[in-house]
Amino acid sequence: MGLREQVKSVLLKGYEFRLNRWLDGKQRPRHVGVVLDGNRRWAKEAGFTDVAHGHRAGARKILELLSWCREAEVEVVTLWMLSTDNLNRPAEELDPLLGIIADIVDELAEPGNPWRIRHVGALDMLPTETAARLSAAALRTKGRTGLEVNVAVGYGGRQEIADAVRKLLQKHAESGGTIEELAEVLDVDHIAEHLYTSGQPDPDLLIRTSGEQRLSGFMLWQSAHSEFWFTEAYWPEFRRTDFLRALRDYAIRHRRFGS
């Protein structure tokens, strides 16, 4: 590391220290959702011809993010790793990506790690092997008491709502009820109970990397009162400083919840 990089590193650590001190005692998000965007663009700008290098770099960044969230006493993190639209990518890109995702989830589930893993998404839309590995990883972390990590793979906000309504209708039919009876009592809580994130608090803060300023269907139902934070950094370049800035911006916002 050259002198310039050393000075920059020292200054950055000092800035992070001041941010952390400022955040002490301020409001913190219980649930943080992150759109891990920009892996492919990062790889191309770095000169890689195979975008899988970007996905691998992005996977390594997840471990860092979870450690930052743990320090910040975040309770739930939702990581959007693969959308339902992404499943239409060419096999030569999709197959390695699915393998990278399954590998990092397996790593999170290793003994000694505190994370509780929960898959959020349509398992039936994923290849059988990928679905099995994600389900097995989640099962291995059952009973842990640490940060709950939602891995959103094969996830789409519209798909989630459609699945929730389908489950609601099936449950009502199994109990012998009619559609007319359900229509009489149906409210938002009935649907919320059947979302992938059922039982969890809605996200307080949603972060998207890579400069894109849209949700693209991420947690459509749950984000009704979320705070959004966007950064130009590609996901593999996302730093602890960026995360602390997101927490700072969240801390100074007045959350009205529609009132």
Side-chain angles (χ1 to χ4, degrees):
M1 182 183 293
L3 179 60
R4 179 178 295 180
E5 287 74 19
Q6 291 179 19
V7 171
K8 185 177 179 180
S9 177
V10 170
L11 292 174
L12 194 60
K13 288 180 179 178
Y15 179 51
E16 290 178 356
F17 177 78
R18 293 194 299 273
L19 281 173
N20 256 325
R21 289 196 60 181
W22 185 90
L23 284 166
D24 189 38
K26 301 294 193 302
Q27 69 171 349
R28 301 288 183 98
R30 293 179 63 197
H31 183 170
V32 175
V34 187
V35 182
L36 316 178
D37 198 19
N39 291 333
R40 293 192 297 176
R41 279 170 283 172
W42 177 86
K44 290 175 182 177
E45 292 186 14
F48 294 107
T49 55
D50 183 357
V51 296
H53 288 288
H55 297 310
R56 293 190 188 95
R60 290 192 295 270
K61 183 62 62 174
I62 288 171
L63 298 172
E64 295 180 54
L65 173 71
L66 295 183
S67 68
W68 305 334
C69 287
R70 190 180 183 187
E71 291 171 3
E73 299 181 345
V74 174
E75 299 173 20
V76 184
V77 178
T78 299
L79 306 169
W80 199 9
M81 298 182 176
L82 188 77
S83 72
T84 51
D85 292 337
N86 294 156
L87 293 171
N88 296 320
R89 290 180 180 176
E92 58 268 23
E93 179 184 350
L94 181 60
D95 291 347
L97 175 55
L98 289 170
I100 292 167
I101 289 172
D103 286 345
I104 189 61
V105 174
D106 279 339
E107 187 172 348
L108 295 178
E110 287 180 354
N113 286 333
W115 329 120
R116 289 177 290 157
I117 296 171
R118 179 173 181 172
H119 174 260
V120 295
L123 277 175
D124 58 341
M125 297 182 68
L126 298 175
T128 303
E129 180 182 355
T130 303
R133 289 182 66 181
L134 296 179
S135 297
L139 188 61
R140 290 197 299 275
T141 66
K142 189 175 181 180
R144 294 182 184 176
T145 58
L147 176 69
E148 192 158 13
V149 182
N150 294 331
V151 290
V153 183
Y155 175 88
R158 291 178 175 177
Q159 184 69 44
E160 178 178 27
I161 295 169
D163 285 348
V165 172
R166 185 180 301 109
K167 291 176 185 176
L168 175 60
L169 292 172
Q170 289 173 342
K171 182 178 180 181
H172 188 72
E174 290 167 0
S175 67
T178 66
I179 293 296
E180 290 77 15
E181 290 170 341
L182 179 59
E184 286 290 329
V185 299
L186 182 63
D187 61 23
V188 295
D189 289 336
H190 288 108
I191 296 176
E193 289 171 2
H194 294 83
L195 296 172
Y196 302 144
T197 58
S198 174
Q200 297 177 336
D202 288 340
D204 303 293
L205 174 64
L206 292 181
I207 298 171
R208 181 167 187 164
T209 57
S210 86
E212 304 291 349
Q213 297 192 21
R214 60 179 183 274
L215 290 183
S216 300
F218 184 48
M219 306 193 85
L220 286 176
W221 184 281
Q222 301 92 328
S223 64
H225 298 296
S226 301
E227 301 294 330
F228 304 149
W229 194 83
F230 303 101
T231 177
E232 295 291 327
Y234 296 140
W235 172 243
E237 298 172 332
F238 190 72
R239 306 167 301 173
R240 183 168 180 262
T241 303
D242 300 313
F243 180 67
L244 293 175
R245 283 172 173 164
L247 295 184
R248 178 192 61 190
D249 283 7
Y250 173 82
I252 63 178
R253 296 184 189 183
H254 177 57
R255 305 195 70 199
R256 297 180 179 84
F257 297 97
S259 62

